[in-house]
Amino acid sequence: MAMRILRLTFALMAISAVAGAWGVAKSNGSARDGAGVSGVAVVTGLGNGAIEKDASRVVVWLVPLDAVQPVRVATQRPHYRLVQHNKRFEPGLLVVPVGSVVDFPNADPWFHNVFSLYRGKRFDLGLYQAGAQRSVSFDRIGPSYLFCNIHPEMTGVVLAIDSELFAITDKGGHYSIAGVTPGKYVLHVWYENATPDSLQALQRQVTIENGNQILPPILVKAIKPTPAEHKNKYGQDYDPATVKTDY
C-alpha cells in the first residue's frame, strides 16, 4: 500500500511539473496565438502507474453546450487526405468532424486496398493502382480501423468526432485548440490504448472564458498494446505466399 501511494505521489508531482512548464510556455506566446485552450495529457501504464515517455496520439476535443460556435455543414468542409505511401498510412491517425470526406490516394508504385470492417465506418475500397484515389464519407462517430488486404503491416485509424474543435497531443503530451469561443463545453478524450470505460471517466464539463486558457492535466491510463495482428477482409489469415512480395 505504501509503495502504491508513493508511486501515485511521484506521478502527480511529474504531472504538475509538466503542466507548469507547458503553462509558462503557452503564456509567453498567448498574445500571438489568439483565443484558444491548451493543456497536457499524461499517459500512465495501467496497474503500475509509471509515466510513459511518449504521450502522443491522445485526441482531445470540445463539444459546445451553450457556446455560439459556428459549425460548417458537410458540403462546406474540406476533404481530408490519408495517403498510402511506403506501405504505410500517412498519417497513421487522422481526426475528422463526423460527415467529412477522406481521400485515400495511392502514392506507391503498386496496388493497394483500404478496408475497415471492425468498428466505426465499414467499407472496402477494393484494389486500385498507383496514382489512383478513392474516397469515403465518415458519417459515423467513433474510430474506424484501417487495413490493406495486400500488406498486413499497414494499419491506421480515422477518428470521427462530433466537433471541429480538436487537437492531437505531441510526444510530450501537449495540445492546443484554437478558435474556441467563450462558453461551456464537454471535454472528450480518446486514446487507442485505453479502455472505453477509462476514457468515459475522463469526460468533464469546462467553462472557457475570453483569451487563452490552460486546462487541468489529463491523466490517461493505458493498457498494454495488443500485437498488431488482424485478419484480412475475408476474415481469414493473410496468406504468407502472397504477402512476401516485392510490391
Side-chain angles (χ1 to χ4, degrees):
M1 177 64 72
M3 289 300 297
R4 292 181 60 186
I5 295 175
L6 184 59
R7 284 197 297 265
L8 179 59
T9 300
F10 280 128
L12 292 176
M13 290 173 61
I15 293 170
S16 299
V18 172
W22 179 241
V24 171
K26 293 305 292 181
S27 296
N28 291 337
S30 61
R32 297 188 302 272
D33 296 339
V37 299
S38 59
V40 62
V42 179
V43 178
T44 67
L46 186 63
N48 59 17
I51 296 178
E52 301 290 337
K53 295 182 180 179
D54 187 352
S56 61
R57 294 170 62 97
V58 177
V59 183
V60 181
W61 70 97
L62 299 172
V63 176
L65 289 177
D66 62 359
V68 180
Q69 193 74 37
V71 177
R72 290 174 292 180
V73 298
T75 56
Q76 297 174 326
R77 293 175 184 161
H79 280 217
Y80 292 80
R81 284 170 59 87
L82 202 154
V83 183
Q84 299 157 86
H85 184 227
N86 291 331
K87 297 182 182 179
R88 297 181 56 168
F89 290 114
E90 299 178 357
L93 169 62
L94 180 66
V95 183
V96 301
V98 65
S100 297
V101 175
V102 176
D103 299 326
F104 292 91
N106 182 359
D108 276 333
W110 43 70
F111 280 84
H112 275 309
N113 162 250
V114 185
F115 73 93
S116 179
L117 301 176
Y118 298 95
R119 294 181 185 176
K121 176 74 174 185
R122 299 192 174 195
F123 62 91
D124 177 11
L125 298 183
L127 289 175
Y128 56 104
Q129 62 189 4
Q133 174 178 289
R134 296 183 180 177
S135 303
V136 176
S137 174
F138 285 83
D139 52 7
R140 180 175 177 178
I141 293 176
S144 298
Y145 296 92
L146 311 177
F147 306 97
C148 174
N149 204 51
I150 302 175
H151 307 103
E153 68 270 30
M154 292 180 62
T155 61
V157 183
V158 174
L159 178 65
I161 61 174
D162 53 345
S163 176
E164 295 186 348
L165 303 171
F166 60 86
I168 303 175
T169 60
D170 61 15
K171 189 173 182 178
H174 307 136
Y175 69 90
S176 180
I177 306 174
V180 182
T181 59
K184 293 182 180 180
Y185 295 81
V186 175
L187 181 144
H188 296 260
V189 181
W190 183 87
Y191 185 58
E192 187 172 6
N193 293 327
T195 65
D197 288 343
S198 67
L199 295 176
Q200 181 73 24
L202 291 176
Q203 291 186 21
R204 67 190 72 166
Q205 183 174 315
V206 296
T207 300
I208 306 301
E209 300 175 351
N210 288 313
N212 288 279
Q213 188 166 334
I214 300 173
L215 297 180
I218 300 170
L219 183 61
V220 182
K221 294 182 179 180
I223 59 175
K224 185 177 181 179
T226 56
E229 296 180 359
H230 58 274
K231 305 293 185 180
N232 64 18
K233 67 181 182 180
Y234 304 111
Q236 302 171 347
D237 292 331
Y238 282 79
D239 186 351
T242 60
V243 298
K244 292 182 179 180
T245 63
D246 295 329
Y247 56 85

